[in-house]
Amino acid sequence: MISDKVRPHHLERKAILYVRQSSAHQVLHNRESSALQYAMRDRLTALGWSEIEVIDDDLGRSAAGGIQRAGFERMVAEICLGKVGVHISLMVSSDFARS
């Protein structure tokens, strides 16, 4: 199904799919999450994008502690330069309380 919100000027630019999990443990043990995130590429194709850049440089890198995330920085730069018609990512955050 193609959305009426997607216009030709959006499709003229590339789509970015940002794939990320915060820890190496998540990357190794939550494979379903990775599969779901990569599958969003199919949705972008269905919406009409032919140029899709997948940025997954930051897999296993937490945003805590000042760790640089080169993939995120590249994505933001591309958006700010007007090269991106859409970006898509799945945000999942979990906090584990210890008793």
Side-chain angles (χ1 to χ4, degrees), residues 13-92:
R13 301 180 202 153
K14 69 179 168 184
I16 290 182
L17 170 57
Y18 182 67
V19 178
R20 185 173 166 275
Q21 289 177 309
S22 296
S23 70
H25 181 271
Q26 288 176 332
V27 173
L28 291 173
H29 299 286
N30 296 345
R31 296 188 184 269
E32 305 86 20
S33 176
S34 291
L36 287 171
Q37 290 182 64
Y38 284 110
M40 290 190 292
R41 181 183 179 105
D42 295 336
R43 178 66 175 143
L44 290 168
T45 300
L47 287 169
W49 271 272
S50 57
E51 183 183 356
I52 302 168
E53 180 179 355
V54 177
I55 298 178
D56 57 5
D57 309 11
D58 300 334
L59 281 172
R61 292 181 180 256
S62 173
I67 295 174
Q68 285 190 309
R69 293 181 290 153
F72 181 79
E73 291 173 11
R74 189 169 83 244
M75 177 185 67
V76 171
E78 293 285 299
I79 292 169
C80 289
L81 290 170
K83 296 180 178 181
V84 179
V86 68
H87 93 276
I88 188 169
S89 60
L90 177 65
M91 175 58 185
V92 178

